[in-house]
């Protein structure tokens, strides 16, 4: 379970990141590619990426970036420019410890010869890592930069509105279906166990269009005052496959926020419907309808109830407000 202890000062110091960071998104994308959840949404994307990725070039990343997103922090610098981010990775490499090597080696897929060379600061190993990061970025991130940014900004805009109408606690619980409050502690009931006290640092919220798991707590992003604050990485409301697999957003802001199909699901749920009815009415598969409903429910936009064998979905007040506010 993830447990984050907030003080009043922490709650007053929760802000959003200004934009996605290239190597953070790459690390989460490589982790998501190795996962097998959210198949209805991410399955086709994983298949395409398996064909597009230059396997030998990005191979080193698979020794370091794992499906659970618990990646070595030095690979995920909070730096906006790619070349600067790569330089930060290389500079951070000089401070890697033996404990970090043992941890990474224990999770490696195969022999750890290359990892040992990396930790020993061998130039060839670091050149290989730099080339892998650049190749991964060119394949996974660069061609879709505008869509990634648009989905990122749409998520931040929606949660900023949620914060104004329902408060910061509602924003934080909306980041995952299993998130809840126990007093001043935010809990997410998914492994692994991790507990942190923010101690007045506040929190920086950062949606990811690639990540599909529970929110990840990473440290420390620059906060503009010369210091830093912990970062909570969470799945964006619109996953990347929906931003890339549909036409570019039109004049309807709800389509830009949710993706066209998911926006249609929400609109249909102004009236109570089953998953089967949603799939039929929108001409989508049953697993896809179920995935869309699950994500909308996680965001607090719909509720789901069971009546006998039927599973019924309905838009919440927040969902109706969103429809009215954007249409």
């Amino acid at each position: 379970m993830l447990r984050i202890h907030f003080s009043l000062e922490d709650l007053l110091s929760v802000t959003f990141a200004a934009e996605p960071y290239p190597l953070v998104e790459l690390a989460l994308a490589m982790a998501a590619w190795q996962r097998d959840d959210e198949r209805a949404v991410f399955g086709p994307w994983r298949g395409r990426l398996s064909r597009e990725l230059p396997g030998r070039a990005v191979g080193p990343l698979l020794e370091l970036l794992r499906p659970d997103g618990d990646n070595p922090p030095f690979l995920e610098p909070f730096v906006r420019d790619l070349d600067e981010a790569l330089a930060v990775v290389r500079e951070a490499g000089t401070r890697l410890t033996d404990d970090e090597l043992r941890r990474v080696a224990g999770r490696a897929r195969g022999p750890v010869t290359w990892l040992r060379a990396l930790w020993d600061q061998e130039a060839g190993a670091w050149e290989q890592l730099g080339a892998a990061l650049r190749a991964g970025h060119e394949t996974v991130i660069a061609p879709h930069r505008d869509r990634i940014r648009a989905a990122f900004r749409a998520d931040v805009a929606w949660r900023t509105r949620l914060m104004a109408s329902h408060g910061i606690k509602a924003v934080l619980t909306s980041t995952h279906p299993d998130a809840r409050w126990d007093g001043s502690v935010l809990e997410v009931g998914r492994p692994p166990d991790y507990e942190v006290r923010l101690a007045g640092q506040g929190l920086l919220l950062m949606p990811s269009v690639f990540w599909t798991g529970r929110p990840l707590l990473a440290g420390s992003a620059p906060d503009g005052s010369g210091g830093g604050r912990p970062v909570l990485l969470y799945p964006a409301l619109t996953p990347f496959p929906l931003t890339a697999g549909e036409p570019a957003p039109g004049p309807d802001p709800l389509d830009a926020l949710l993706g066209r199909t998911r926006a249609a699901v929400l609109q249909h749920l102004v009236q109570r419907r089953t998953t089967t009815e949603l799939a039929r009415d929108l001409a989508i598969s049953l697993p896809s309808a179920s995935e869309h409903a699950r994500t909308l429910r996680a965001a607090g936009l719909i509720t789901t109830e069971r009546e006998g064998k039927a599973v019924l979905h309905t838009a919440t007040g927040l969902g109706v407000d969103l429809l009215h506010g954007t249409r």
Side-chain angles (χ1 to χ4, degrees):
M1 176 182 291
L2 172 65
R3 302 184 81 244
I4 306 176
H5 294 257
F6 286 81
S7 65
L8 177 59
E9 184 178 359
D10 293 317
L11 288 170
L12 294 173
S13 302
V14 176
T15 58
F16 290 94
E19 63 178 279
Y21 295 103
L23 292 190
V24 174
E25 283 300 316
L26 175 60
L28 294 175
M30 296 298 292
W33 175 56
Q34 299 174 72
R35 296 170 67 89
D36 61 2
D37 58 346
E38 304 277 8
R39 294 182 184 181
V41 175
F42 277 86
W45 170 77
R46 289 178 178 123
R48 288 195 302 273
L49 193 58
S50 295
R51 296 188 294 271
E52 295 170 359
L53 275 175
R56 296 187 66 179
V58 302
L61 300 184
L62 300 182
E63 299 297 329
L64 294 162
L65 303 174
R66 310 303 296 147
D68 61 5
D70 187 16
N71 300 321
F74 81 96
L75 286 175
E76 301 176 321
F78 298 109
V79 178
R80 297 177 183 178
D81 178 78
L82 176 62
D83 289 330
E84 290 181 15
L86 291 172
V88 169
V89 169
R90 183 63 188 93
E91 198 276 331
T94 62
R95 300 188 296 272
L96 295 176
T97 67
D98 289 340
D99 286 342
E100 290 172 305
L101 172 59
R102 282 191 289 270
R103 183 170 177 274
V104 172
R107 294 154 50 93
R109 293 170 177 265
V112 298
T113 306
W114 177 79
L115 290 172
R116 292 188 182 281
L118 196 71
W119 257 255
D120 288 341
Q121 306 301 317
E122 293 186 16
W126 280 95
E127 289 173 4
Q128 195 175 0
L129 177 59
L133 288 169
R134 191 174 292 277
H137 181 269
E138 290 176 357
T139 302
V140 182
I141 305 300
H144 311 290
R145 186 181 293 111
D146 290 343
R147 289 186 180 274
I148 292 169
R149 285 176 175 168
F152 179 98
R153 291 168 181 168
D155 183 279
V156 170
W158 178 75
R159 293 185 201 274
T160 300
R161 183 169 180 264
L162 178 63
M163 186 185 298
S165 57
H166 294 272
I168 185 58
K169 284 193 170 184
V171 172
L172 290 165
T173 52
S174 75
T175 59
H176 194 274
D178 292 337
R180 63 183 182 273
W181 285 95
D182 179 8
S184 61
V185 181
L186 178 68
E187 298 181 339
V188 185
R190 292 290 180 93
D193 293 337
Y194 190 72
E195 188 162 4
V196 65
R197 297 178 185 274
L198 297 177
Q201 299 176 89
L203 195 64
L204 187 69
L205 302 182
M206 185 179 298
S208 169
V209 299
F210 292 104
W211 183 236
T212 65
R214 82 154 196 209
L216 301 169
L217 193 65
S220 154
D223 60 7
S225 64
R229 66 179 62 184
V231 178
L232 191 71
L233 296 157
Y234 63 89
L237 198 58
T238 307
F240 176 73
L242 296 185
T243 70
E246 300 191 5
D252 191 334
L254 192 60
D255 289 354
L257 172 62
L258 299 177
R260 190 163 298 173
T261 302
R262 191 169 293 170
V265 170
L266 180 59
Q267 190 171 23
H268 273 63
L269 291 179
V270 171
Q271 297 181 350
R272 214 173 185 202
R273 280 180 167 82
T274 67
T275 309
T276 301
E277 288 171 334
L278 279 175
R280 181 196 64 206
D281 294 347
L282 296 173
I284 59 179
S285 70
L286 192 61
S288 180
S290 180
E291 289 280 359
H292 289 309
R294 186 199 65 77
T295 301
L296 292 171
R297 183 169 61 254
L301 300 178
I302 70 170
T303 60
T304 299
E305 298 175 343
R306 182 176 292 276
E307 286 189 3
K309 295 183 178 180
V311 177
L312 296 162
H313 311 287
T314 314
T316 63
L318 180 61
V320 173
D321 286 347
L322 180 61
L323 288 168
H324 289 168
T326 56
R327 295 195 185 279

